Amino acid sequence: MKKIQAVYAAPHGHWVGDGFPVRSLLSYDRLGAAYLSPFLLLDRAGPHRFGPTRHSRGVAAHPHRGFETVTLVYQGALEHRDSAGHGGQIGEGDVQWMTAGAGIVHEEYHAPAFAKAGGILEMVQLWINLPARDKSAPPAYQTLLDGEIPRIPLPDGAGLLRVVAGRYRDRLGPARTFTPINVWDLGLVAGGHVRLEVPDGHTTLLVVLEGTVLVNGERIVRDESVVSFERQGDAFHLEANNDARLLLLSGEPIDEPVAGYGPFVMNHDAELQQAFADFHAGKFGSPRGA
């Protein structure tokens, strides 16, 4: 059984652009990169109700290098465009998996129809580190639609699990990853309980987005909190006190130095300086082809 190592509550929120009111539930510069590896950051945006507008709320073009971003939409709809020529919209249940790799510039806005109608936006964005050998990988983009993500009913009617990445029992998620990673999106019903098996030695994090759960029969964890488990052990137990929405993240640690600043995550400070120089020299391109 994996033992609980720590439980973290979310800090105060902040805005990213004018479209994303977020709370950083995980952050490598706050909790320690080696401790979270291969995960770097997880922001929860909303739930927040936006009124109708003709203005495209969101965040303007900005760069990334050296990692991947994974965006899961629970409510609302987003539109994405990047300098590698990728783009599109994702809505409720969809996932956007973007590999920044050697360098990318992208922009994210509320989808036009959602902005025009208004409504509730709720999403999370996860940053996943890349090992040194893959930090120069070509930028890439995966659109994982809700219908393509396996849904597995949990035993005894406890709830439902979606496999975004990795494996749950005999079902594989559609995401392509550079290192062994599980990203599971879970919904538990009140009173539902489940034993989740994860690889021994993996960093394992349970993100409680909504509801209250009892972990390993010993610790009550409330919404907008993160449970970190010890790496030893291959399972833990959950029981939902009420309906709960959870994310389970597990991954093989990357045993390499981490140097990060703003939108870039590399291995050494010299690589960070090069990333800024390359971006300012226009080597990342533009999402609008300018």
Side-chain angles (χ1 to χ4, degrees), residues 255-277:
D255 187 20
E256 296 174 353
V258 173
Y261 189 85
F264 305 132
V265 181
M266 306 302 292
N267 295 106
H268 305 286
D269 288 342
E271 294 169 326
L272 281 181
Q273 295 170 15
Q274 187 64 53
F276 278 102

Side-chain angles (χ1 to χ4, degrees), residues 85-163:
H86 310 122
Q89 294 186 16
I90 54 172
E92 183 175 339
D94 298 338
V95 177
Q96 168 190 292
W97 197 295
M98 186 184 78
T99 302
I104 200 167
V105 176
H106 77 138
E107 57 187 25
E108 294 174 293
Y109 290 98
H110 297 182
F114 174 74
K116 182 178 180 180
I120 296 174
L121 178 73
E122 181 183 6
M123 52 168 273
V124 299
Q125 186 172 92
L126 171 68
W127 289 15
I128 301 175
N129 201 9
L130 290 172
R133 66 176 184 270
D134 296 315
K135 286 187 179 293
S136 59
Y141 181 82
Q142 302 174 64
T143 299
L144 312 176
L145 299 178
D146 183 37
E148 300 169 345
I149 299 172
R151 296 171 174 263
I152 297 104
L154 296 173
D156 302 318
L160 189 72
L161 185 150
R162 298 197 311 153
V163 187

Side-chain angles (χ1 to χ4, degrees), residues 52-69:
T53 181
R54 294 182 180 179
H55 166 66
S56 295
R57 297 187 180 101
V59 59
H62 59 285
H64 291 300
R65 174 180 276 182
F67 62 99
E68 301 187 284
T69 67

Side-chain angles (χ1 to χ4, degrees), residues 178-191:
F178 286 83
T179 58
I181 288 170
N182 290 309
V183 178
W184 301 340
D185 177 28
L186 295 91
L188 295 181
V189 301

Side-chain angles (χ1 to χ4, degrees), residues 8-16 21-31 36 40-45 125 127 207 224-226:
Y8 301 100
H12 295 297
H14 61 281
W15 281 82
V16 176
V22 307
R23 286 165 300 286
S24 296
L25 306 188
L26 293 173
S27 177
Y28 72 98
D29 54 359
R30 178 166 58 94
L31 300 179
L36 296 180
L40 295 167
L41 176 144
L42 187 137
D43 281 345
R44 186 190 188 198
Q125 186 172 92
W127 289 15
V207 183
E224 298 205 324
S225 298
V226 178

